[in-house]
Amino acid sequence: MGFAILNGKIIDRSEAKVDVEDRGYQFGDGVYEVIRVYNGKMFTVTEHLHRFVKSSDSIGISFPFSSEQLTSLLEELIVKNNLRVGIIYMQITRGVAPRNHAFPTEDVIPTFVAYTKEVPRPAESLKTGVKTILTEDIRWLRCDIKSLNLLGNLLAKQKAAEEGCFEAIQHRGEDVTEGSSSNIFIVKNGLVSTHPSNHLILKGITKDVILQLCAKNNIPLKERTFSLEELEEADEVFLASTTSEVMPIIEIAGKKVMDGMPAPVTKKLQELFVQEIEKQCGALKES
Ligand SMILES: *Cc1c(COP(=O)(O)O)cnc(C)c1O
């Protein structure tokens, strides 16, 4: 089972247990991050830790480590678990206190946990693309916080799973927001569009990498709200997330995107994304 971090200490994973009155367990009162690991190295770790602290601050949980401290703890965890390709999951909650919706008034120590998991790159799906459904976005209005409260996201993903699909594309009325655990991009006449990073979506680190890659490589991109109609008429659609990278979407609600094959702009971005991974983490094995 390997090792986990509980409140700053690396311990046997089977011993990493939290109290029944942990506010994360009872209320989802906490935030989380998922970091990709390639060749035993963390990808975009600074960006993830920055967002982690920001999410934490936004709900008034004071972060108990410096970024440097946490980075070296996570590096130690990767080595101890002998992780090559996978993810680190970590979360911080407000801590353990008698159940009461209002924040505890006495000083409570936040609960921090992290563990690793082997997760291969989704080589096959990256080549062939994935199918998606559409669903109304029923979530709250602070989707910019990477909160442990994921019921809206879970219900959307479950609906996708029940229809044999990989992801649910959410929309508020006519406006497309994001996937249940990914950001959504369309391409029309060479222009890449994706929802602006505001309170209606989670600002993905993968999304940010794509924005930078587009800027550096003269690929036109606009952060703007696009409609369901534009989604339906797009030349290309793809999703982006830490675990899925740049993933082509070939079907939406039973209808093919163009001819149902990954297309040029998406493939170009996949190529640039792999170059970025290799720059930070070293060469990826051909799969
Ligand atoms: C984490 C997440 C994403 C993707 O963010 P990455 O940092 O690219 O992994 C997108 N949407 C939601 C709702 C998420 O929770």
Side-chain angles (χ1 to χ4, degrees), residues 25-85:
Y25 182 57
Q26 293 193 330
F27 297 118
D29 187 4
V31 295
Y32 76 103
E33 276 297 327
V34 178
I35 304 179
R36 245 304 181 189
V37 174
Y38 302 101
N39 299 327
K41 294 201 177 76
M42 289 182 276
F43 180 62
T44 54
V45 60
T46 312
E47 292 83 349
H48 279 282
L49 294 189
H50 181 255
R51 184 174 68 188
F52 197 25
V53 173
K54 210 174 131 203
S55 290
S56 183
D57 280 351
S58 72
I59 60 168
I61 295 177
S62 62
F63 204 74
F65 313 102
S66 70
S67 286
E68 294 72 30
Q69 271 175 324
L70 187 50
T71 304
S72 56
L73 258 179
L74 295 176
E75 280 167 351
E76 199 180 329
L77 185 69
I78 290 170
V79 171
K80 281 201 126 171
N81 284 344
N82 200 14
L83 181 69
R84 301 306 298 165
V85 178

Side-chain angles (χ1 to χ4, degrees), residues 32 48 51 139 146 153 178-183 202 204-207 240-242:
Y32 76 103
H48 279 282
R51 184 174 68 188
R139 300 173 303 158
K146 211 162 173 69
N153 310 58
E178 65 172 335
S180 71
S181 60
S182 61
N183 294 119
L202 193 282
I205 304 297
T206 318
K207 177 191 172 186
S241 80
T242 292

Side-chain angles (χ1 to χ4, degrees), residues 158-169:
Q158 177 58 19
K159 200 170 150 198
E162 282 167 9
E163 301 193 25
C165 288
F166 180 77
E167 179 60 300
I169 301 178

